[in-house]
Amino acid sequence: MAARTLLKILLLALPAAVQATPQNDQWHAKARALLEHAVNVPTVAGRDRVPELANWLADQYRAAGIPDADIHVMPYEKTAALIVRWRAPGKPAAKPIMVMAHMDVVEAKREDWSDTDPFVFTEKDGYYYGRGTTDIKSGIAATTAAILKLKASGFTPRRDIIVFYTGDEETVGIGATLGATKWHDLLDVEYGLNADGGGGGFTPDGRALGFTMQSAEKTFADYTFTVKNRGGHSSKPRADNAIYQLANALHRLETYRFEPVLNETTRAYFAGREKTETGPLGDAMRAWLKNPADGKAADFIEADEGEVGLTRTRCVATLLSGGHADNALPQTATANINCRIMPGVSPDAVRAELEKVAADPGVAVTRADKYVTSLASPLRPDVVAAFTEAVHTHHPGAPVFPEMSTGASDARPFREVGIPVYGVDGAWSIVPTDLRAHGRDERLPVKALDDNVDHWVVLLKKLGG
């Protein structure tokens, strides 16, 4: 999953933030049933259960009256995607919009969880527990329930609304690439609305931490630092040692900082943040916005745990290997360098910069993947306004900001071919106790799912009607 950056800001309390939702709402109940079934199907890589879930979800849309001709389960690479088109009657007023999420989840082991099975949906203490309750089967449940509610209520879209759920976002992301390229005839959309992005947070006492709309994400790229050496007997050490040579290059990487940069999304984000952030961090934000060349202010922001990765490209060593025997000088030493690159910056340009950082012709720097540059989506006024309205319908006065994710999502391939995508989910968590995606005892507040259904109803009515 793309990482959901929940804003680390202290704001005015929202008295209605955690009020109970109306009881016996059939569409909230439908979303709960959808989430329960989805969690109970372990759609992790290697178990080959995604097609099962895709076909079950297809049946939900079929039962709601979507014709078979507009429902497509697309098998690929032992998984599947689901494409459903809800057609506008007559001549559509505009190109379709796409509602996105992914059906796959990361693995979870029963022995790692406290007292619930990660693949048995459990409701207790005001929460839904299970793998995918936050990342991102809740988004599938909320968007499906919202569309079914709109259709049952007689809402008539003025443009086609297309559902696109992929089956491998947590691994290789082939589904999104196929969607943006090979399946373009089925996904001929103006823009996408991604449930795997955006969202909000509250403190335990009900104070809003804000809601974000994801309009950009960093490019994921891996590089390899490799040092080769003739080796020799360990009883005869020499000054030239592959492990030491690599370690020196990694130390230079550790202390290196890429140039800070503001783009449309991050400028709008910090312009909102600085209005409420007090103390030295707020001062640094205000100083950087006033003078983007103020590297000291950007460095101060980057050093904050809540803001790390938002001011520049970041690269970090993640894997290390060296040597071949206890009693031999190493002949090879390698390190994997994972980079999260600012939108619009070429991974090849970063490779060239890493060569300068290594500052040693004996350290070979190579790319380990073929990912292309991630692009930012423009801040469309209609989408920004609709998302803000949907948030404020249920959380009046909550701050809303654009967001650049430091992680990656299925949005990337679409942005690469010129289709904007916006992370506009309306789910929320209690921060930091509920931030458990990919981790132990993943959970979602019951009210957050209910709110998310209502959020998507408002959003789709605004943008599709």
Side-chain angles (χ1 to χ4, degrees), residues 134-146:
T134 57
D135 187 12
I136 180 66
K137 288 179 175 178
S138 57
I140 286 175
T143 54
T144 298

Side-chain angles (χ1 to χ4, degrees), residues 63-249:
I66 302 293
D68 281 347
D70 289 327
I71 300 173
H72 306 273
V73 175
M74 312 292 287
Y76 67 97
E77 303 291 332
K78 296 185 178 180
T79 186
L82 175 64
I83 301 174
V84 178
R85 183 183 289 251
W86 180 13
R87 294 185 182 273
K91 184 178 180 180
K95 289 187 68 175
I97 55 177
M98 173 174 59
V99 177
M100 302 172 63
H102 61 87
M103 297 175 285
D104 61 312
V105 295
V106 298
E107 185 61 272
K109 297 180 179 180
R110 175 65 186 90
E111 59 267 26
D112 292 339
W113 284 44
S114 298
D115 55 0
T116 59
D117 187 315
F119 297 108
V120 176
F121 178 83
T122 304
E123 180 180 355
K124 66 174 185 174
D125 304 326
Y127 284 92
Y128 297 131
Y129 285 82
R131 178 59 87 225
T133 48
T134 57
D135 187 12
I136 180 66
K137 288 179 175 178
S138 57
I140 286 175
T143 54
T144 298
I147 291 170
L148 298 185
K149 177 179 181 177
L150 286 169
K151 196 168 191 313
S153 69
F155 170 75
T156 302
R158 296 179 64 245
R159 63 199 308 173
D160 293 0
I161 296 174
I162 302 177
V163 172
F164 181 48
Y165 298 153
T166 62
D168 62 350
E169 191 272 351
E170 297 290 4
T171 51
V172 292
I174 293 174
T177 299
L178 290 170
T181 55
K182 185 177 179 179
W183 301 335
H184 180 70
D185 59 329
L186 296 174
L187 298 169
D188 53 330
V189 302
E190 183 175 354
Y191 58 85
L193 303 173
N194 195 0
D196 192 19
F202 293 89
T203 62
D205 63 2
R207 286 180 296 149
L209 298 178
F211 282 74
T212 61
M213 185 190 83
Q214 194 252 45
S215 55
E217 62 186 47
K218 286 183 156 183
T219 304
F220 178 105
D222 278 324
Y223 303 83
T224 304
F225 281 12
T226 304
V227 177
K228 295 288 187 180
N229 190 283
R230 60 192 173 95
H233 202 287
S234 62
S235 68
K236 299 286 187 179
R238 299 188 311 275
D240 60 315
N241 182 293
I243 290 176
Y244 296 156
Q245 192 174 1
L246 177 63
N248 288 330

Side-chain angles (χ1 to χ4, degrees), residues 34-54:
L34 289 164
L35 181 59
E36 178 175 12
H37 186 96
V39 169
N40 289 343
V41 180
T43 51
V44 300
R47 300 201 198 185
D48 304 337
R49 299 285 297 275
V50 174
E52 174 188 335
L53 180 59

Side-chain angles (χ1 to χ4, degrees), residues 58-70:
D59 287 342
Q60 307 306 303
Y61 286 100
R62 193 173 288 113
I66 302 293
D68 281 347
D70 289 327

